[in-house]
């Protein structure tokens, strides 16, 4: 599974799966949460079955269930019972040692977040170049022939630049604990340099910076002042010429950093410049999946359906922090109210994060076909044709139902739009969907999602 799907997918969905029993052609697999059980059933059943049949050819089907906690024999009453360990302490024990101290002196670096590693970074089409370059830099930081020096990452706020800088620092320290790694924000560099000037210790300050193995500078766009820029440029040149790695992040490309000296812009652009573009729908959905899985694993009883995730991925388009904030709010709402997470609850919680106003009636000229075809993965031309394939009929019926519900078109008009001459066919489709919604919770959630997307 790891070889076929990759380490990230394996770690997110399969690492906690256990084989419980093999009997009568049925493989019984257990997982930690109901959310994980439902997700594997829906998205990976065929993949897992194929892999299982490679080991046990007689397997006919899989059964996923939520395993009960493993209880141990109760200790004697006079036994010493250890006190519970807080999650914070566990995190501190399991985390790598902090490579950089967080004192005021800039040469000691800015604080690093142990959660921001390559393992927690979600890769998509819009950030895969930046991720691949950062990972390569981390792996080859000890080599004097690094091809990406300096590495310059740029993109808007919340797209993962800081995450990658922290990930590089952690990975370098993991591979080479003795390496001198320094992560600084531009603001911290400036304040440290000014403090060194006032203390008449600027020479020692510069020497400390020039003796490190890898320098990571964040928020480069805030570096101001000709004297500070000149000193930073000297440090940059000294490190690169000495075979030391430099990684810089900013909100725009080096050529567009107008406040920087032209020589510095030229030097920063002389390595690899990797843009982190706005997240597409697929990447936003992957981020929400990963964060929701983590939240469900840590919160007993919490379940976030794929319909809710799809709704959030469509509506939240600004940054990864926005997506993580939405998941945190859903989790907090469940913990405080014990109400299941539905689309209605999700919309209410993240209303201030979403663009647009209150739901409104779909414009007369707008057709639900595009949204329905995208959601169900069918061609719009097939949806509006007279074809009667099973994979097309149900989405077409849902499209007719939504057209009647959300527009002012008559049944004959809807029939003509869906290449159906008889309005009775439209009426049958509407009644069929209404009947199915009464028994199928997932279908109700999907149609609720489509309604909200069409009204957006």
């Amino acid at each position: 599974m790891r070889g076929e799907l990759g380490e990230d997918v394996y770690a997110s969905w399969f690492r906690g799966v256990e084989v419980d029993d093999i009997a009568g052609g049925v493989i019984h697999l257990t997982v930690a949460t109901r959310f994980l059980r439902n997700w594997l059933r829906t998205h990976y059943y065929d993949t897992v079955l194929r892999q299982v049949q490679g080991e046990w050819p007689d397997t006919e089907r899989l059964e996923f269930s939520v395993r009960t906690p493993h209880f141990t024999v109760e200790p004697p009453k006079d036994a010493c019972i250890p006190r519970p360990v807080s999650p914070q302490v566990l995190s501190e024990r399991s985390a790598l040692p902090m490579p950089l101290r967080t004192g005021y002196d800039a040469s000691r670096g800015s604080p690093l977040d142990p959660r921001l590693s390559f393992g927690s970074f979600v890769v998509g089409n819009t950030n895969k170049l930046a991720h691949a370059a950062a990972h390569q830099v981390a792996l080859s930081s000890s080599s004097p022939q690094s091809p990406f020096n300096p590495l310059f990452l740029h993109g808007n706020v919340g797209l993962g630049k800081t995450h990658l800088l922290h990930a590089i620092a952690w990975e370098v320290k993991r591979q080479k604990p003795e390496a001198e790694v320094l992560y600084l924000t531009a603001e911290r560099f400036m304040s440290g340099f000014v403090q060194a000037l006032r203390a008449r210790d600027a020479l020692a300050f510069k020497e400390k910076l020039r003796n490190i193995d890898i320098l990571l500078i964040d928020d480069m766009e805030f570096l101001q002042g000709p004297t500070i820029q000149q000193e930073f440029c000297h440090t940059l040149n000294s490190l690169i010429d000495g075979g030391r790695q430099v990684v810089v992040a900013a909100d725009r490309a080096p050529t567009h950093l107008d406040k920087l000296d032209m020589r510095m812009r030229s030097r920063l652009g002389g390595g690899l410049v990797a843009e982190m573009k706005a997240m597409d729908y697929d990447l936003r959905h992957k981020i929400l999946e990963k964060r929701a899985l983590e939240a469900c694993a840590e919160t007993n009883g919490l379940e976030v359906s794929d319909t809710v995730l799809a709704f959030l991925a469509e509506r939240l388009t600004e940054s990864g922090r926005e997506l993580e904030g939405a998941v945190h709010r859903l989790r907090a709402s469940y913990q405080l109210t014990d109400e299941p997470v539905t689309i209605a609850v999700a919309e209410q919680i993240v209303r201030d994060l979403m663009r647009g106003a209150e739901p409104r009636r779909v414009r007369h000229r707008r057709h639900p076909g595009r949204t329905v075809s995208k959601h169900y993965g069918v061609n719009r031309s097939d949806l509006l044709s007279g074809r009667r394939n099973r994979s097309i009929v149900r989405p077409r019926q849902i499209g007719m139902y939504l057209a009647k519900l959300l527009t002012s078109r008559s049944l004959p008009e809807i029939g003509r739009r869906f290449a159906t001459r008889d309005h009775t066919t439209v009426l049958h489709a509407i009644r069929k969907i209404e009947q199915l919604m009464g028994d199928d919770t997932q279908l109700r959630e999907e149609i609720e999602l489509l309604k909200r997307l069409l009204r957006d």
Side-chain angles (χ1 to χ4, degrees):
M1 296 294 292
R2 183 189 286 110
E4 178 179 341
L5 301 175
E7 180 63 35
D8 289 342
V9 174
Y10 173 81
S12 297
W13 304 112
F14 297 100
R15 181 162 289 169
V17 179
E18 298 179 0
V19 178
D20 183 61
D21 189 26
I22 305 173
V26 180
I27 303 292
H28 297 270
L29 303 172
T30 64
V31 295
T33 66
R34 287 182 294 169
F35 173 81
L36 186 57
R37 177 198 63 191
N38 296 340
W39 186 264
L40 291 176
R41 281 178 180 170
T42 305
H43 293 80
Y44 290 105
Y45 183 92
D46 292 338
T47 304
V48 177
L49 181 61
R50 185 176 67 255
Q51 294 285 355
V52 166
Q53 288 174 337
E55 298 294 327
W56 297 285
D58 295 334
T59 302
E60 298 177 357
R61 61 186 176 89
L62 306 175
E63 287 289 345
F64 290 97
S65 60
V66 180
R67 58 176 168 265
T68 56
H70 299 287
F71 296 100
T72 58
V73 178
E74 184 177 350
K77 293 183 179 181
D78 58 348
C80 179
I81 302 176
R83 290 183 296 176
V85 182
S86 69
Q88 180 180 358
V89 173
L90 288 175
S91 176
E92 292 172 356
R93 290 179 181 175
S94 60
L96 291 167
M98 290 288 281
L100 308 175
R101 290 171 290 180
T102 59
Y104 181 75
D105 182 358
S107 66
R108 294 178 180 268
S110 302
L112 286 173
D113 188 342
R115 297 171 299 175
L116 302 182
S117 65
F118 283 116
S120 61
F121 189 86
V122 182
V123 184
N125 291 328
T126 60
N127 63 16
K128 61 183 178 182
L129 174 61
H131 172 267
H135 195 255
Q136 182 62 37
V137 163
L139 295 178
S140 60
S141 60
S142 60
S143 170
Q145 303 298 326
S146 173
F148 310 138
N149 199 12
L151 172 61
F152 193 98
L153 307 175
H154 70 97
N156 288 332
V157 175
L159 298 183
K161 302 185 299 296
T162 299
H163 193 141
L164 286 180
L165 293 184
H166 285 229
I168 292 172
W170 288 118
E171 183 62 24
V172 170
K173 291 298 290 187
R174 188 185 69 83
Q175 294 190 46
K176 191 178 178 182
E178 71 276 11
E180 291 291 334
V181 180
L182 183 63
Y183 166 76
L184 283 172
T185 62
E187 181 183 7
R188 194 174 186 88
F189 175 85
M190 290 189 295
S191 64
F193 184 70
V194 170
Q195 184 186 34
L197 289 176
R198 290 175 178 171
R200 299 182 180 181
D201 197 23
L203 182 61
F205 174 82
K206 290 184 283 187
E207 286 302 316
K208 287 180 180 178
L209 290 179
R210 295 174 187 180
N211 288 328
I212 61 176
D213 295 310
I214 178 168
L215 175 65
L216 306 125
I217 297 290
D218 206 356
D219 299 326
M220 189 65 183
E221 66 272 15
F222 295 123
L223 191 68
Q224 300 178 9
T227 303
I228 293 176
Q229 289 187 18
Q230 184 179 22
E231 290 300 334
F232 180 80
C233 192
H234 291 328
T235 300
L236 189 69
N237 290 332
S238 176
L239 289 170
I240 295 176
D241 293 341
R244 312 296 178 90
Q245 180 69 51
V246 177
V247 184
V248 179
D251 64 354
R252 48 195 180 275
T255 54
H256 296 148
L257 293 173
D258 299 331
K259 294 182 180 180
L260 294 187
D261 179 84
M262 184 176 295
R263 290 174 300 174
M264 190 187 301
R265 281 183 278 167
S266 175
R267 189 72 196 221
L268 290 173
L272 175 63
V273 178
E275 181 182 5
M276 303 184 73
K277 300 178 182 178
M279 297 177 179
D280 57 18
Y281 172 84
D282 290 337
L283 179 55
R284 298 196 302 270
H285 197 276
K286 286 172 67 176
I287 292 173
L288 286 165
E289 285 177 0
K290 190 174 183 67
R291 302 301 177 243
L293 176 63
E294 294 166 352
C296 291
E298 297 170 0
T299 308
N300 187 32
L302 174 63
E303 291 188 18
V304 184
S305 69
D306 187 54
T307 307
V308 170
L309 297 180
F311 170 70
L312 294 175
E314 284 281 358
R315 298 292 295 271
L316 303 177
T317 60
E318 293 300 316
S319 71
R321 294 192 185 101
E322 199 179 47
L323 300 174
E324 291 193 13
V327 174
H328 290 326
R329 293 183 185 206
L330 293 177
R331 179 181 180 181
S333 172
Y334 174 78
Q335 290 175 322
L336 295 173
T337 66
D338 204 31
E339 294 181 0
V341 176
T342 63
I343 291 180
V345 173
E347 184 179 46
Q348 182 65 33
I349 289 173
V350 300
R351 185 181 299 276
D352 62 314
L353 295 176
M354 292 189 270
R355 295 177 175 179
E358 293 295 319
R360 58 186 182 275
R361 193 168 184 82
V362 178
R363 297 189 302 271
H364 182 82
R365 65 180 179 274
R366 189 172 181 181
H367 193 273
R370 180 177 297 137
T371 302
V372 173
S373 61
K374 178 182 176 182
H375 181 78
Y376 288 102
V378 298
N379 291 329
R380 192 182 178 201
S381 57
D382 291 337
L383 192 73
L384 304 181
S385 70
R387 297 180 60 188
R388 301 193 58 81
N389 299 47
R390 186 176 180 181
S391 61
I392 298 173
V393 170
R394 183 56 47 77
R396 182 186 294 137
Q397 291 176 333
I398 292 174
M400 294 178 184
Y401 171 81
L402 292 171
K404 179 58 178 174
L405 182 67
L406 302 176
T407 73
S408 56
R409 295 189 182 100
S410 65
L411 295 183
E413 283 183 289
I414 296 173
R416 287 193 293 271
R417 296 284 296 215
F418 282 91
T420 304
R421 296 180 180 177
D422 194 345
H423 73 279
T424 58
T425 304
V426 180
L427 184 60
H428 169 75
I430 294 171
R431 290 175 176 171
K432 181 66 174 179
I433 296 303
E434 289 175 342
Q435 176 186 351
L436 292 174
M437 286 173 63
D439 303 323
D440 192 333
T441 303
Q442 183 175 349
L443 179 62
R444 286 201 304 271
E445 288 188 355
E446 289 180 357
I447 291 178
E448 184 65 26
L449 168 63
L450 292 169
K451 284 163 56 179
R452 292 173 188 272
L453 294 178
L454 285 165
R455 283 170 169 162
D456 184 22

